[in-house]
Amino acid sequence: MWSRHLTTALTLAAATALTAPTASAAPATDAAPTAPQVAPARAATQKTAALGTCTLTPTPLPLPTGTTDGVVNAGDSGGGYAGVATGGGGGHAVRWSGGKVADYGDLPGLTDSLTVSGVNRDGTVVGYTDDAQNKVHPFRSRGGKLEALAVPAFSGAGPMNAFPSAVNDAGDIVGWAYADRDNAPMVAVMWPAAAPGTVVKVTGGLPTTGQTEAAGIDQDGTVLVNSYPADDPVTGNGVYLWRAGSARKLAVPPGETSVKGYALSNGRVAGEAGTHGVLWDQNGTVVRPDKGALLYAVNRTGRIVGYQPSPFGSQVLGVWQLGTQSAVATLTGTDKTVHVSADDGTLAGSVWSSGTHRTTPTTWRCG
């Protein structure tokens, strides 16, 4: 469950006006936030209508000097991206803004592997890396370099493996941690911007047994939390929106028992229920795009990215806009990955070349 990366073909639906109103995501403040106010969830599947086609235009992104490959893993609210560049001595965290790339390097002494999982408008990049003993270390960027985040050590368990998953524009970082895979469950955690150098459990209104994972954070401080049974860190059994010690459980679609959220933006959650992709709208409505088998990214307008069932060796990755059912305008080729549905309307990921055996960080836009 640690990797969200998919290598598939890409299908895109053109954007249209939303069928539900879009609420503005207010910036987080130092004042104590209140619990999210959302209308009661409705489990009924929203009716949708097909869209017209659009043409996707790819744009390769530059790589830092001395690197040969790269991939975009995250997008911010202002048109920037973050990811990893490799080659010439391990992985580096990088950020792209205005068509230029900034190399943040790695966490000193920890170069075995590096994953970037989030970026905010100010350019703060978050992620994790491991050491030679497979211990996982969380990081954030500051002043153009990476620095270690506080390592959780709850209930006398000692230093834990920690995995940041997202950061909002206020600088709050969320993720999950565990002591080891055999003896300690996952627990959702936050590195609050208001208390630098600290890490806390995400608690209140959440299950007190089993496992929890913070998978995303909205601009107003709302956190997307998944719950799991104590003995199963893969099969999610609850999706919650948590804020300031209170949480609301999202509706499980009728007939489903497993459920999981992958991304949160402007009050909407992209994820899966059973074997079907699901978008939970701001009012709790469950939207199921046609053939959406998994939805793992969403932007503030409700544009979601996921993949459709397809024959072996020819998976189809798709994008739907809230209010649509069928994805159209296919970009073929299993050499492409798309990880990001950015707030500016672009998609981002990478393209692998069978000729050069290199991976190029890439964005796509309709038109």
Side-chain angles (χ1 to χ4, degrees):
M1 65 179 293
W2 316 123
S3 176
R4 306 286 197 266
H5 303 167
L6 301 170
T7 302
T8 59
L10 176 67
T11 300
L12 180 71
T16 58
L18 300 179
T19 58
T22 303
S24 298
T29 67
D30 291 336
T34 58
Q37 301 299 310
V38 186
R42 291 181 289 132
T45 300
Q46 178 174 309
K47 299 298 182 181
T48 56
L51 289 176
T53 62
C54 74
T55 300
L56 281 176
T57 302
T59 300
L61 296 176
L63 287 167
T65 301
T67 62
T68 57
D69 300 78
V71 61
V72 182
N73 296 120
D76 64 37
S77 63
Y81 312 96
V84 177
T86 57
H92 288 198
V94 295
R95 182 188 183 228
W96 293 273
S97 180
K100 298 181 180 180
V101 62
D103 186 350
Y104 291 177
D106 56 25
L107 204 58
L110 301 172
T111 60
D112 281 12
S113 68
L114 183 145
T115 298
V116 164
S117 53
V119 61
N120 70 9
R121 193 182 188 97
D122 292 335
T124 299
V125 173
V126 301
Y128 49 90
T129 185
D130 60 7
D131 59 26
Q133 288 73 46
N134 293 321
K135 194 73 173 180
V136 181
H137 302 261
F139 65 75
R140 58 157 288 165
S141 66
R142 187 192 299 271
K145 297 180 180 180
L146 300 188
E147 65 177 20
L149 284 168
V151 176
F154 303 132
S155 302
M160 305 173 78
N161 299 276
F163 302 79
S165 61
V167 57
N168 66 7
D169 286 349
D172 294 314
I173 302 167
V174 296
W176 68 95
Y178 62 80
D180 63 70
R181 294 176 190 261
D182 297 324
N183 300 318
M186 293 187 300
V187 58
V189 297
M190 173 185 284
W191 292 265
T198 66
V199 57
V200 297
K201 289 183 181 180
V202 177
T203 59
L206 299 171
T208 56
T209 60
Q211 310 186 64
T212 57
E213 164 203 45
I217 184 168
D218 222 335
Q219 300 295 14
D220 67 352
T222 300
V223 180
L224 171 62
V225 178
N226 293 315
S227 65
Y228 302 86
D231 60 349
D232 183 356
V234 176
T235 306
N237 58 12
V239 178
Y240 297 81
L241 292 180
W242 177 96
R243 189 177 177 192
S246 298
R248 179 175 67 86
K249 187 176 184 180
L250 296 180
V252 177
E256 305 291 0
T257 56
S258 65
V259 65
K260 188 182 303 185
Y262 288 100
L264 168 66
S265 181
N266 200 16
R268 301 185 180 95
V269 174
E272 63 179 340
T275 60
H276 301 280
V278 171
L279 174 72
W280 285 272
D281 203 359
Q282 292 165 326
N283 63 359
T285 299
V286 174
V287 183
R288 281 185 166 176
D290 182 44
K291 298 181 181 178
L294 170 70
L295 303 178
Y296 58 86
V298 60
N299 74 0
R300 64 170 291 103
T301 70
R303 176 173 285 188
I304 43 179
V305 178
Y307 70 88
Q308 302 177 3
S310 53
F312 178 76
S314 61
Q315 284 183 327
V316 177
L317 199 156
V319 177
W320 298 263
Q321 184 70 29
L322 180 66
T324 72
Q325 182 178 17
S326 299
V328 295
T330 300
L331 178 65
T332 60
T334 56
D335 55 338
K336 301 171 182 66
T337 65
V338 177
H339 301 146
V340 178
S341 179
D343 283 348
D344 66 354
T346 58
L347 310 176
S350 64
V351 176
W352 181 79
S353 169
S354 60
T356 64
H357 290 228
R358 299 297 187 192
T359 302
T360 301
T362 304
T363 64
W364 291 264
R365 183 181 290 276
C366 280

